[in-house]
Amino acid sequence: MSRQRRIVWLGIIAINSLLTSSTSLANSLESITSVQQLKKLETIDPNYQDIQYLARRYNCLTNFRDSNNIKAVTRYQLAIAISNCWQKLENSKDFQDVVIWRQLKQNFALELSQLSNKVNQVEADLAQLESQQFSTTTKVQGQVLFFIADSFSTSDDSEAFTGYRTRLDFNTSFTGQDQLQVRFESRDIGRLDDVTDTPLTRLSVDGSTESTVEIGELSYSFTPREGTTVVLGTSGVGLNDIGEVLNPFSSSSKGALSRFGRRNPATLRGSGGAGFGIIQEFNNQMSASFGYLIDNESAASPEAGRGIFDSSFSAISQFVIEPQESLTFALTYTHTYQLGDDVNLMGSTGSEDSNEPFGDNATTSDNFGLQVNWELTSNIEIGGWFGYSQANQQEGGNERATILNGALTFAVSDLFAEGNRGGIIIGVPPTISGHDESSLIAESTPLHIEALYQMELSDRIEITPGAFAIINPDTDDGNTIWVTTVRTLFSF
């Protein structure tokens, strides 16, 4: 027998030996002979040596380089290995090796053909994906909030009451780098300030749409280039949609139970609804945002003193820096102008005088804010904010007022159970610390203390019981007011 025929014969014997562990290898994924069986054949049959020889020489069958580290493989796995070695063996100048390898290809022709078909299908799918990278997509999300709340003090009590808010969001993307948001909203939640005579007691969500459905937000955001986001809106756009809020309890449905506890009212509340904003990320550590918003109801009015250019407005600029992954700072400046009928500088979160320091006369304010949030561990966050406002009377006089506010926040995730979160908020709501009319300077500083516990019953249901106390409120008697509530959130 010639050397060439002997090599071919040995190759055939080697492959047949590998296939003896199955009776239907041509059409199944059953494993070929395991390493333990190959070791037994090594002393009585030279075929195994030929397989080791080819693997070592051409460095393409990794599993066969070390006889002490071979795993059982299927015919398809071996076919992949043969395919990987195809080019090396086809280009080999050693005729004897080529003959053995062509015999392997013949024995595994079925598996190689199936692999080729799968590769062709993957390439076709990839080509289709590249040609149709994105199609217009609309996602519908909904929320239902239920409130049970009550307030009481040593001088006056309210009656326990219930309320609800429903939201339906239609989020549409046309390019994959943009979002058109249309929100429909209906709510009927009593305002506690109607009972307690102070906006310090307002809940995170309150008010009524009078049994109608209104457009809560209509906005469009897009990314003209990497790192830049542009926000445009005609309804429901606020300063907090342009400036970043670092408070983990900022959400109206999943955050603080009080209105004040959600964000710095000096810089992140103000006239808004319609306008634009630009958010620019410089790198992973720094970003900046700028925006201009006007009262959307006034902007839509053709009456004199209203419209786009004569309505109440807010302008914002913010700089955010993250010196390390767990620590973030935000510096914010806003300038606001509010017409007499619109004056509400602190967004109904502070004392009555801090919201209207000059009554219903047109007012401007320059507001400065500092925020910080520090993730001590993966479960514990501490943070807070400080706000300074300088208000100026624009009609009926030229008085000035200084308004201060601040808060500390403490959040613990996975408290007592995975997905649950506890929180404490302690702060000083907006209070007049200086005024040309000395009688309006607060005689005592109000203090806000809030505690809440969010329980995640499922991915779609969350219950949050909690309470907050207002010490030294701006009421006639100044007695401490307690507000208790249970909020239930359904998401779909």
Side-chain angles (χ1 to χ4, degrees), residues 412-432:
V412 182
S413 301
D414 296 331
L415 182 61
F416 303 133
E418 185 177 357
N420 294 357
R421 181 173 67 168
I424 296 175
I425 303 170
I426 302 174
V428 176
T431 305
I432 294 180

Side-chain angles (χ1 to χ4, degrees), residues 74-91:
T74 66
R75 286 182 61 85
Y76 285 97
Q77 289 173 319
L78 187 55
I80 292 173
I82 294 172
S83 179
N84 291 339
C85 292
W86 203 318
Q87 185 175 0
K88 291 185 178 181
L89 269 296
E90 286 291 327
N91 295 332

Side-chain angles (χ1 to χ4, degrees), residues 59-99:
N59 194 29
C60 56
L61 285 178
T62 306
N63 288 340
F64 291 95
R65 291 186 211 157
D66 184 359
S67 60
N68 296 321
N69 187 29
I70 303 177
K71 300 179 181 179
V73 295
T74 66
R75 286 182 61 85
Y76 285 97
Q77 289 173 319
L78 187 55
I80 292 173
I82 294 172
S83 179
N84 291 339
C85 292
W86 203 318
Q87 185 175 0
K88 291 185 178 181
L89 269 296
E90 286 291 327
N91 295 332
S92 175
K93 297 181 180 180
D94 192 316
F95 177 76
Q96 298 173 356
D97 293 347
V98 172
V99 171

Side-chain angles (χ1 to χ4, degrees), residues 168-174 178-184 215-222 229-238 240-242 273-277 293 296:
L168 194 61
D169 291 334
F170 294 85
N171 299 318
T172 303
S173 183
F174 301 96
D178 64 343
Q179 178 172 285
L180 172 66
Q181 181 169 355
V182 181
R183 169 178 291 167
F184 296 97
I215 297 180
E217 182 173 346
L218 179 57
S219 65
Y220 179 65
S221 62
F222 62 95
T229 301
V230 178
V231 180
L232 305 172
T234 60
S235 178
V237 180
N240 58 299
D241 294 315
I242 300 172
F276 71 93
L293 300 176
N296 58 284

Side-chain angles (χ1 to χ4, degrees), residues 319-376:
F319 181 70
V320 179
I321 182 171
E322 189 175 343
Q324 58 186 45
E325 187 175 355
S326 60
L327 182 63
T328 308
F329 296 92
L331 295 172
T332 310
Y333 166 76
T334 61
H335 176 79
T336 67
Y337 169 75
Q338 297 182 351
L339 296 171
D341 295 339
D342 299 334
V343 175
N344 188 2
L345 294 185
M346 300 294 118
S348 294
T349 60
S351 64
E352 191 68 42
D353 290 336
S354 68
N355 290 301
E356 298 180 341
F358 315 113
D360 58 357
N361 293 306
T363 302
T364 61
S365 66
D366 294 290
N367 312 280
F368 303 87
L370 170 65
Q371 298 179 78
V372 62
N373 194 65
W374 185 15
E375 296 181 11
L376 292 176

